[in-house]
Amino acid sequence: MAQLRIRDLYELLRLAPRRRDLEEDGIRLVYDGAALAMSTADAPSTVIARTGTCGFTTGPWELTAYRASITSTEVWLRILITEHGDDLIDVSPFWARRPAEVTFTAGGHTAAFPVIACPSAPVDRRP
């Protein structure tokens, strides 16, 4: 799980390319234990944006989310940011059931979306 400020996650996600600008659907989120980086499925080694994390930390993980999921999360964060912009949000892959999904949790609310890929999930839980 990566914990970061709601405002920082919003600023990161709003830099994601539009779906029509991608050859292949997919926004990669990679957490290394200290920062959350974003790239695309088209160019996984090219980091578009990166933000530091704070609060509770866990081991590293990576996932590729659908672009539509990123858009939905941006809309939700835009609502949260006015009152809770400096509060923390948890971002993590969740693989208690199959397939794995990405979850965003803040203020007692959780948004969960299926993922395209999650190499850090156990083999039997990967999409």
Side-chain angles (χ1 to χ4, degrees):
M1 173 183 66
Q3 261 190 345
L4 55 158
R5 292 182 330 141
I6 292 170
R7 184 178 325 282
D8 293 342
L9 180 61
Y10 174 75
E11 292 300 322
L12 176 96
L13 297 181
R14 73 182 201 82
L15 297 174
R18 296 174 301 188
R19 173 61 183 107
R20 67 177 167 229
D21 296 333
L22 299 171
E23 286 182 35
E24 180 181 338
D25 191 3
I27 301 297
R28 291 183 68 245
L29 298 176
V30 179
Y31 173 61
D32 64 8
L36 185 64
M38 180 177 64
S39 62
T40 66
D42 293 346
S45 61
T46 303
V47 175
I48 297 168
R50 178 182 197 90
T51 188
T53 58
C54 52
F56 185 76
T57 60
T58 64
W61 51 262
E62 70 177 270
L63 59 85
T64 303
Y66 291 96
R67 180 59 179 100
S69 300
I70 300 301
T71 302
S72 298
T73 304
E74 283 180 79
V75 171
W76 181 52
L77 293 175
R78 197 173 307 130
I79 294 166
L80 288 177
I81 209 167
T82 56
E83 293 183 33
H84 308 287
D86 292 322
D87 291 353
L88 297 180
I89 187 166
D90 302 335
V91 181
S92 65
F94 182 75
W95 52 70
R97 58 183 174 261
R98 188 170 186 211
E101 46 189 42
V102 58
T103 61
F104 301 92
T105 306
H109 302 283
T110 299
F113 302 98
V115 296
I116 298 168
C118 188
S120 50
V123 174
D124 66 333
R125 301 285 189 216
R126 293 181 187 165

